[in-house]
Amino acid sequence: MRTDQLFEQWNTDTSAIMAETIKRIGPCDVFIGGSLADDLGTAGSDVDLYCFRATEAQTSPFPIHTTCGDARLELYIVNVNSAMSGDSSLRSLVTDNPPPAPHRWPLLSPQRFRQMHALYRDCALSAGEASSAARVALAPDLLHIYAGLRAILNAGALAEDLLMHDCAERAPTRLYCARLLAESAIDAALSTQELVNPNPKWRLQLASRAGFTDPRFPETDRLLHALFPDISDAEKAIAQCLAIAADCLHLVVAEGSLRRFPSVGESLELVEAAANGK
């Protein structure tokens, strides 16, 4: 559901939410994150707000809870100075030539990924120097590149596992790997359309959106078979997962923004080898 419609349903608006946020934690730059940043929220959703401050404010992985109208707010304080002091910048993914090897890619914590997703979606209630400094330092606009590369690397590793366990008595293990492989490949394909969200539960909804803009994206029915495989016929289910994975990685190669990274071609070769039983 669209976030502006939810605000209306909750008897609130962005001005009131901003006022409540400042009342609770003081001046800050505020960005909507989570499901609402992608218009994926429901009437039961919380409003995740990422509050960027340049001062040495006390931070915690746990949010401050408050309400505004009928909306439940979760306020996450982000200390910009602390965020910029780590090795979280994504800029090297596009500036390094040749592209950096996987061991040199940034590795974002789940908390940092959520913070950067809020900046990436840019649903700002208030933006100023603090969030601008974080944007320059961290390059969150490249989050889809990061998410795609991590998904591709994971897909290749899972394909290797499948090739190692290629025997009938290990069918449950192979099916589990194949399902996870399909998930990673779908995430990689979604990233090429800049469809990224920290919560994997929205994978199908994002894939449905991708299908509207790219007719090559696998249909929802096929995705369902890969994401929720039938264990009663493990070999058929594994084949369905691998077919989806291969189709998705072919989309990544065709789109081109990640093609310069050797891991893309290597992972596709491994997936195709697993699909062909080699």
Side-chain angles (χ1 to χ4, degrees):
M1 190 171 182
R2 276 177 34 187
T3 299
D4 58 346
Q5 294 174 326
L6 286 173
F7 286 167
E8 184 176 353
Q9 182 175 329
W10 290 330
N11 301 307
T12 191
D13 57 28
T14 55
S15 296
I17 291 173
M18 189 66 203
E20 176 63 20
T21 301
I22 293 175
K23 174 183 174 183
R24 294 299 304 265
I25 65 175
C28 56
D29 296 347
V30 181
F31 289 72
I32 298 174
S35 60
L36 269 65
D38 289 298
D39 286 322
L40 292 168
T42 67
S45 296
D46 295 320
V47 183
D48 296 338
L49 298 174
Y50 289 85
C51 310
F52 294 83
R53 300 179 63 178
T55 57
E56 293 297 330
Q58 184 176 0
T59 62
S60 168
F62 305 105
I64 296 171
H65 295 271
T66 186
T67 59
C68 187
D70 296 324
R72 300 190 305 271
L73 310 184
E74 293 190 349
L75 311 180
Y76 294 87
I77 300 175
V78 183
N79 185 325
V80 172
N81 294 333
S82 175
M84 295 189 303
S85 65
D87 189 22
S88 298
S89 177
L90 306 181
R91 186 168 287 104
S92 64
L93 296 176
V94 298
T95 58
D96 284 8
N97 190 23
H103 70 275
R104 293 180 52 220
W105 295 349
L107 183 59
L108 304 182
S109 68
Q111 181 182 13
R112 183 72 74 228
F113 192 101
R114 291 191 294 270
Q115 294 167 0
M116 292 178 75
H117 170 258
L119 289 173
Y120 178 73
R121 283 300 171 215
D122 201 22
C123 298
L125 303 188
S126 174
E129 292 183 4
S131 56
S132 293
R135 190 178 296 280
V136 170
L138 301 175
D141 293 340
L142 302 177
L143 190 63
H144 62 292
I145 300 290
Y146 171 84
L149 288 173
R150 284 292 172 191
I152 287 164
L153 193 66
N154 198 43
L158 288 162
E160 283 189 302
D161 281 347
L162 277 170
L163 290 167
M164 290 175 57
H165 296 285
D166 191 16
C167 51
E169 61 268 22
R170 293 182 179 173
T173 298
R174 294 175 62 238
L175 178 54
Y176 187 73
C177 286
R179 182 183 66 78
L180 294 177
L181 170 53
E183 290 181 355
S184 293
I186 292 166
D187 289 346
L190 288 172
S191 75
T192 66
Q193 298 195 34
E194 302 182 8
L195 295 171
V196 178
N197 189 275
N199 196 327
K201 73 181 181 182
W202 301 117
R203 186 179 286 118
L204 271 175
Q205 284 86 342
L206 293 177
S208 178
R209 289 183 183 179
F212 285 117
T213 57
D214 189 343
R216 299 170 301 169
F217 208 91
E219 296 178 354
T220 301
D221 285 348
R222 290 186 64 210
L223 295 178
L224 286 170
H225 286 300
L227 296 174
F228 305 96
D230 182 2
I231 187 64
S232 66
D233 191 343
E235 292 305 319
K236 179 180 178 181
I238 291 169
Q240 290 172 328
C241 291
L242 290 173
I244 285 291
D247 286 351
C248 286
L249 292 186
H250 276 292
L251 283 178
V252 174
V253 172
E255 192 275 338
S257 64
L258 302 179
R259 192 164 47 199
R260 75 189 192 102
F261 289 86
S263 297
V264 176
E266 293 166 1
S267 292
L268 178 56
E269 289 180 4
L270 288 166
V271 170
E272 291 182 329
N276 295 327
K278 297 179 181 179

